[in-house]
């Protein structure tokens, strides 16, 4: 009898593992402070087990996107939850992700939610959906707020030579931000403006940190840099831990009255992986991520992601006049922008 029960339990476990009772989520959201509470709530509310794959702070978005590309012939992931937009934009263009709506997609609860999603915060073909944004900010030590640049172009000023900290732009939000600068200034500023900025920023010899945006915060808090380029979630989490940090929202437009010229907003995005092993559970997870409760949960965390789709509540982070730039242009411009900056860094390096 006991042997029969053990065999039955083993069979049930095998069937559960092969069926729709689990979902594999690749996520570049911060594992401890952001991703884990959301994934645990999904498990509690649905009974579906989440198998999560994350990556290092320095390379997480880029590393996971490259893993999805490598696994395309035989996908292991069901969903990619990226804490920024450009990666899912690029993966959609490569066919790594699948439409959640349209021909061939089930007419289920996810389809109804996705079909009504605001055009500004979704892929036209339904391959990714955006929500709950962070913003790019300038940080300094508390009490030195007067040193914070009012515009991003001010980071090129010679007075900041040797006093800037920034994350390695080959990865994560810094890469997307450079792409946004290239795309926006290429359209709204004088010809060659972005190129001149990257050259001047490189000439200021910033501390380019492989420890990511969290490393930028630490460098500024320790006094190793006067100002840093980072994101609201890292800045707010540092303040919540008691670090002496202040931040501002520099603009990309020099004219303070020009609408749509503010700082760069970085929404979370979620997408179905084409050919993922658990399609039904993946759609349940996507529906969960697009629900008002998830944007509300992200807004209520110490990182305080700003609601962009559902109405904000009192005390929520509000991104003033976010930069209006096409996410497809950002994704296409990112490689060019990063290479221009790194090329300028190499050219500005002292002779050995």
């Amino acid at each position: 009898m006991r042997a029969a029960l053990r065999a039955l339990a083993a069979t049930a476990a095998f069937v559960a593992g092969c069926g729709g009772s689990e979902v594999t989520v690749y996520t570049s959201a911060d594992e401890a402070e952001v991703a884990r509470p959301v994934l645990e709530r999904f498990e509690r509310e649905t009974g579906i087990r989440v198998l999560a794959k994350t990556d290092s702070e320095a390379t997480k978005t880029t590393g996971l996107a490259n893993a999805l590309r490598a696994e395309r012939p035989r996908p292991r992931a069901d969903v990619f939850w990226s804490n920024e937009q450009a990666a899912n934009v690029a993966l959609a263009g490569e066919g790594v992700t699948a439409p959640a709506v349209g021909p061939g997609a089930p007419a289920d609860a996810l389809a109804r939610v996705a079909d009504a999603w605001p055009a500004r915060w979704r892929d036209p073909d339904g391959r990714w959906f955006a929500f709950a944004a962070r913003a790019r900010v300038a940080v300094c030590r508390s009490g030195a707020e007067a040193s914070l640049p009012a515009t991003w172009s001010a980071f090129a000023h010679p007075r900041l030579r040797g006093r800037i900290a920034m994350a390695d732009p080959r990865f994560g939000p810094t890469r997307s931000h450079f792409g946004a600068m290239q795309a926006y200034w290429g359209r709204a500023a004088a010809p060659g403006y972005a190129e001149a900025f990257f050259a001047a920023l490189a000439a200021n010899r910033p501390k380019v940190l492989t420890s990511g945006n969290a490393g930028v915060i630490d460098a500024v808090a320790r006094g190793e840099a006067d100002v840093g380029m980072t994101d609201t979630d890292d800045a707010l989490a540092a303040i919540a831990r008691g670090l002496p940090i202040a931040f501002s929202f520099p603009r990309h437009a020099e004219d303070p009255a020009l609408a749509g010229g503010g700082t760069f907003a970085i929404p979370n995005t979620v997408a179905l992986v084409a050919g993922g092993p658990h399609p039904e559970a993946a759609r349940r997870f996507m529906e969960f991520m697009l629900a008002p409760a998830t944007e509300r949960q992200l807004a209520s965390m110490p990182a305080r992601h700003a609601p962009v789709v559902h109405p904000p509540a009192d005390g929520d982070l509000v991104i003033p006049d976010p930069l209006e730039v096409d996410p497809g242009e950002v994704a296409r411009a990112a490689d060019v922008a990063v290479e221009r900056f790194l090329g300028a860094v190499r050219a500005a390096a002292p002779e050995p």
Side-chain angles (χ1 to χ4, degrees), residues 225-245:
D226 293 337
V227 294
M229 300 177 169
T230 187
D231 304 330
T232 49
D233 62 330
D234 291 289
L236 289 164
I239 291 170
R241 297 196 306 271
L243 291 182
I245 291 294

Side-chain angles (χ1 to χ4, degrees), residues 108-327:
D108 56 7
L110 171 61
R112 291 190 294 273
V113 171
D115 195 49
W117 209 250
R120 179 179 180 182
W121 303 110
R122 59 169 286 175
D123 173 51
D125 296 325
R127 290 179 181 266
W128 56 261
F129 297 84
F131 56 98
R134 298 169 293 153
R136 291 292 284 175
V137 293
V139 293
C140 68
R141 281 182 62 87
S142 299
E145 287 85 348
S147 67
L148 288 173
T151 63
W152 285 106
S153 59
F155 274 87
H157 196 285
R159 72 177 176 83
L160 293 177
R161 185 179 177 88
R163 302 307 304 165
I164 299 170
M166 57 176 285
D168 189 328
R170 292 175 297 171
F171 313 106
T174 306
R175 180 179 182 276
S176 296
H177 189 194
F178 275 23
M181 289 174 169
Q182 181 73 45
Y184 179 77
W185 284 333
R187 170 173 52 83
Y193 191 98
E195 293 83 348
F197 169 78
F198 292 132
L201 177 62
N204 271 344
R205 297 186 181 174
K207 295 174 174 62
V208 180
L209 305 175
T210 58
S211 51
N213 286 317
V216 172
I217 294 287
D218 290 340
V220 172
R222 291 193 299 263
E224 297 170 2
D226 293 337
V227 294
M229 300 177 169
T230 187
D231 304 330
T232 49
D233 62 330
D234 291 289
L236 289 164
I239 291 170
R241 297 196 306 271
L243 291 182
I245 291 294
F247 67 90
S248 67
F249 298 93
R251 293 177 56 79
H252 290 80
E254 299 292 329
D255 181 356
L258 183 62
T263 198
F264 182 48
I266 312 164
N268 287 266
T269 53
V270 63
L272 297 172
V273 176
H278 309 103
E280 293 183 9
R283 294 185 69 84
R284 288 284 303 279
F285 184 81
M286 282 275 289
E287 179 192 353
F288 169 88
M289 292 299 291
L290 300 183
T294 300
E295 201 168 45
R296 168 86 342 251
Q297 183 179 12
L298 292 170
S300 302
M301 291 177 175
R304 294 178 58 198
H305 292 211
V308 295
V309 176
H310 304 100
D314 290 343
D316 282 352
L317 176 70
V318 175
I319 302 170
D321 189 30
L323 186 69
E324 292 183 5
V325 62
D326 179 78

Side-chain angles (χ1 to χ4, degrees), residues 51-129:
L51 306 177
K53 177 181 174 68
T54 60
D55 211 332
S56 69
E57 168 67 22
T59 66
K60 52 190 177 183
T61 304
T62 304
L64 291 169
N66 286 338
L68 290 166
R69 291 183 176 101
E71 295 165 7
R72 186 176 179 181
R74 190 174 180 180
R76 299 177 184 177
D78 296 298
V79 178
F80 183 32
W81 168 15
S82 174
N83 69 345
E84 54 90 36
Q85 195 169 23
N88 261 328
V89 172
L91 292 171
E94 298 166 25
V96 176
T97 53
V101 291
D108 56 7
L110 171 61
R112 291 190 294 273
V113 171
D115 195 49
W117 209 250
R120 179 179 180 182
W121 303 110
R122 59 169 286 175
D123 173 51
D125 296 325
R127 290 179 181 266
W128 56 261
F129 297 84

